Amino acid sequence: DISGTQSFNKMRKESRLSHWICWIVAVTALFFLGFIIGKAPHGELFLNYDDKNGKLVDRGKSQNRKLNCCPNRKFTRLPHLAGTEQNLKYAEQIKKEWLEFGLDSVSLVPYDVLLSYPNKSQPNYISICDDLGNEVFNTSLAEPIPQGYEDVSNIVPPYSAFSAKGQPQGDLVYVNYGRTEDFFQLEREMGINVTGKIVIVRYGKIFRGNKVKNAMLAGAKGIIMFSDPADYWAADVEPYPDGWNLPGGGAQRGNVLNLNGAGDPLTPGYPAKEYTYRFSLDEGVGLPKIPVHPIGFHDAIHLLKNMGGRIPPNNWKGALNVSYRIGPGFTDDFKSQKVRMNIHTNNQVTRIYNVIGKIRGALEPDRYVILGGHRDAWVFGGIDPMSGAAVLHETARSAGSLLKKGWRPRRTIIFASWDAEEFGLLGSTEWAEDNARLLQERAVAYINADSAIEGMYTLRVDCTPSLHTLAYDITKQVSLLAHTTHLKLIIHINLKLSSLISKLGSGSDFEAYFIRLGIAAGRARYTKNRVRNRYSSYPVYHSVYETFEIVERFYDPSFRRLRAVAQVRGGLIFMLADSKLLPLDVNEYADSLGKYAQSIAEVAQKHPEQMELYKVSFDSLFSAVQNFSAAARDFYARLQTLHTEEHVIFAPSSHNKYAGESFPGIYDALFDIENSADPEKAWQEVKRQISIAAFMVHAAAMTLTPPA
Amino acid sequence: DISGTQSFNKMRKESRLSHWICWIVAVTALFFLGFIIGKAPHGELFLNYDDKNGKLVDRGKSQNRKLNCCPNRKFTRLPHLAGTEQNLKYAEQIKKEWLEFGLDSVSLVPYDVLLSYPNKSQPNYISICDDLGNEVFNTSLAEPIPQGYEDVSNIVPPYSAFSAKGQPQGDLVYVNYGRTEDFFQLEREMGINVTGKIVIVRYGKIFRGNKVKNAMLAGAKGIIMFSDPADYWAADVEPYPDGWNLPGGGAQRGNVLNLNGAGDPLTPGYPAKEYTYRFSLDEGVGLPKIPVHPIGFHDAIHLLKNMGGRIPPNNWKGALNVSYRIGPGFTDDFKSQKVRMNIHTNNQVTRIYNVIGKIRGALEPDRYVILGGHRDAWVFGGIDPMSGAAVLHETARSAGSLLKKGWRPRRTIIFASWDAEEFGLLGSTEWAEDNARLLQERAVAYINADSAIEGMYTLRVDCTPSLHTLAYDITKQVSLLAHTTHLKLIIHINLKLSSLISKLGSGSDFEAYFIRLGIAAGRARYTKNRVRNRYSSYPVYHSVYETFEIVERFYDPSFRRLRAVAQVRGGLIFMLADSKLLPLDVNEYADSLGKYAQSIAEVAQKHPEQMELYKVSFDSLFSAVQNFSAAARDFYARLQTLHTEEHVIFAPSSHNKYAGESFPGIYDALFDIENSADPEKAWQEVKRQISIAAFMVHAAAMTLTPPA
């Protein structure tokens, strides 16, 4: 991540300035999020903006003495997997509280989607079997329960949701991270074919569903994924409960679908309601056809230690005390031993519940600003998602408290507690499908509220380009007000936006809103130092060790980080909902399209001969971007002439739709060139994708030109 | 057509009343459309509405003396096929005149689409060959030129646009109209397989492209289509030039695509611009794979007269003096003779030009009301499309003249002269694709302006249900004001709307707007008496005999019919563009959805056992319609409380999107049940389509509920 590295280097140079500012803002106002720790600044908005100058002001500070006791750490005490009774109970409780906060309406919105659970009477595990079929080693059936949770029931053991059932047996092949390039290297350089084999890969680098897809395409009959300490272990940190590293008995749960944003696998394109036609399981979108299972590194050692075959390249070696040999199968001493997967996981259509709360806009009730994050957790969800759900809940509380004082936002605010995110962003996608027609007309922006922390280092904002300027303005103020530990943001005031704010990717509930509906979207969280901490996500990700205590003891003892994230997310929502003019920056949008087009064109330029042979040109895309930039400048100039003092300003909002969502199609097509047996066809697809992107940019430009 | 029949019977009962009213309105104000006859009420709106009471008033009457000479019969003097220089010249002339009329902006909008022309050096024809390969009979290479046009060049001979090239030779099989049921009867009841044969079918009943598709599916290697007098000949009428019947040497041109609304076959989903990726001809949408050719009945007699094989069923017999034997091939006496098609038609990407004119709305410039009709003609286009293009032109003139007096409509009006309608609605569809994002947000309604006459009997309006009430109100006033010949409409004032106004079908430029974008749409024209005149469309349809003179001498000597059509189309546009509240009727919309759902459910009820076996139910659709109806009633009630006296009323416009466009999917699925080898799968598809329709109706209902 080049921009991250540059930004880090700049940070170090300005560390003296940072210390100076630290000194100035010595008084730190502590802030406790009542949602998860049971203490809240009752009835007060912790973050608000001044109507007169549009600036954020901190109203929480002066209210810190008014703390109020709530049920302790509610919402992280019990496992609340999607589709379970407990997750419905939490939904009902949230609905009740949001109504108490003063929201205009709150309702539970159910969908019936395909979920996947282990079979309670037939546990999933992996065996090493001798030549008589005896199980000489079995992987563990559950993670060791963390202290304080010994009496809790309904902790689902580590599993790969939507795995196919089956008991494949065979030789293991180790394929590093299971990426496309890893399988290429295996097949082309090492000459190893995995047809009929079971592959074992380490977690990290790419989404686990893609590892499974790659294994299927390569012909494997099963896939095992493990958490290697090289990828899930920070230096000089103890495993939980003495630190925040992943214990050897912990494993990463997760779905292994290849949905491509389809939502419920059985109802692609349509909301999974009672009347909706459902595909059969055979026709379902993205369901893997082979068994899949996740294990921790204690178990992985046993599977890997006797593996034979060739020595791996250095970048295939993890941090375990084994040789990471490729296989197939074990060394001569253990040649007769085979690995067997025993997977009995069931897919079943299950009811899930989104909680949708609304505050009606005073002047533009048909413009929607959405703050949404998921509620369902693999187990307790101490980090994922409840550190983010807490922010959502507190923002609703704050808005409600302002409502009671007579305030009402200009536009409608929608709060959404999504269900079944962990099973493929299902709750948020079904609601987007259900409301697509309304949202495409009315939605102004979507802000995501998944996990508020994935590290302790600094704030991280990813958003569509039209939100760059707003996000920058808010983070600047938050860093000044909220006294974050590192104050990294302050020293960035004069740095370029691009080094602070990244492109929006995928992997959480904003996906349907940003990619499918094209709505302006953003997310904010506290992140790790990406240079020093090279582990994927965070070590205990999706394990039973994601407890409230890991946050309280290690990630955010003062809850300052959660507070800063709440201020950014809340600030975005409030500014989007209540500014007279929508705070969307068309010039940033234009700049980003240009940079993005340039970077894709550079990727293509790695193949100059083929570019010429197949007459591939990016000229049409650059021309479209130029056209958009001119329209954006003109739009911006016209905005300056609007009479903002008038009572009602209907600001143009069409530019909240982002054309950049069409660009990844070009990347994908370029990526496929390596694989395709028919380069002409592959380059035709690149040309087609360039043409589509140019069209999308032209269409976006049209929405910026005067209406007639 | 049941509703048409009922309406006709009611008309006859009330014919005495009709005569009485005829007597009252004895003074007929003549109206000449300057566009095609060169005389116009200069600078005067022939139709307007009174701002105070929203009623239509006729301002043309008092201005009839102010006639002004324009270039005579311009726009029908020369052939102006899409893609030709002449059609561009007409586009430029229309642009120039619209600007003179006073429109705010007019531009030519080009697209590069796939068109199809005969090869000038290798004419298309069909031969009968003897066993030595000698051509013993050839069909004619052109239609006899009508009087007065002898010196005109560039008359394209009758051909089937987009026919495959080729010279297939074989035995003929006669398959009636070439409908699915005709091929079923041929194969199942008569046991005749057309694989490797050339089929000959008569024009009529269904779109010619579907005849070609059916022939291809049945395995034919070529298809000949002829105009049978039974279908293209009115009783007691002379052939042109002594009457309006089709001469024996005339033939029907036309495209034979199966586009399903895709627009340009090479750029489905995207506008055919210079930067757009184009499929290869092999991949093009809807292009037939076999040669196709149209002939007149003089030529058809020669092909049919010696045919052998079985005697046809009575409903397969046309009106020619031949036996209509089925074949395959000729009688024993001519057994050695074969039929050969010689088709050299070329597909080529060609530039076409829409003319787009705009009048900026004064208060709601971002709401668009569109009046569009095509300009391209197979030859002169005396009826199709210039009788409609004249209405478009005169409406633009009238609006311009009002603008010059200081008037400006509340909403933006867009006038569109489409190109290449005859080649698959290409100009209108490409523009819809180009502007889809804007139109889905902003378009209020689309009114079509293709041929204004297809008969001399009465007005006919087809529209989406939300326009029923407006169309009814306008036609009532037009019939009172415009003194149409039959005054049929007046006597219908107390009849139900459903007997007057029909569902919108397909086959002209409204398709992309209504079906793909779901925008409220309508069309109006003068039609024939459907009970007495059972011929398809009108006899000279798409022949060289569609001249200005056939209109002037036979169809509308006084131009009263064109005037009535202009008043309806113009009235719709003006009311939609200038009413304070959008004149769309949600309750009619709800009623129609209910009737439509009921009629589809009745079709399905023909298979009660299968309905039960496969658990097919329409309950979800009926429930969705009920939900919509309740939302519509509530919406209507809220509309009544709006303060219409305020300066700016932003009326809700979401209900201009029609959910009914999803219903035909159920029909198609039900239709496929007969054909499917796998009834379970076919019924699953019915269920899926019911579910989609229910979803669309629910989504439409949401747009009627209060925004938050």
Side-chain angles (χ1 to χ4, degrees), chain A residues 270-271 275-277 360 368 412 433-435 437 441 620 654 657 684 688 691-692 695 698 702 707-708, chain B residues 270-271 275-277 360 368 412 433-435 437 441 620 654 657 684 688 691-692 695 698 702 707-708:
Chain A
Y270 298 95
Y275 64 77
T276 307
Y277 180 81
R360 194 181 62 257
Y368 299 163
T412 293
E433 289 178 335
D434 206 0
N435 295 278
R437 194 160 151 175
E441 275 192 34
S620 64
S654 301
K657 306 296 192 304
Q684 290 298 330
R688 196 172 76 86
S691 157
I692 291 171
F695 167 69
H698 278 302
M702 273 195 248
Chain B
Y270 298 94
Y275 63 77
T276 308
Y277 180 82
R360 194 182 60 257
Y368 299 162
T412 293
E433 289 177 336
D434 206 358
N435 295 277
R437 192 160 152 177
E441 274 192 35
S620 64
S654 300
K657 306 296 191 307
Q684 290 298 330
R688 196 173 77 86
S691 157
I692 291 172
F695 166 69
H698 278 301
M702 273 194 249

Side-chain angles (χ1 to χ4, degrees), chain A residues 25 238 251 494 504 698:
Chain A
V25 289
E238 292 296 311
N494 295 313
L504 200 52
H698 278 302

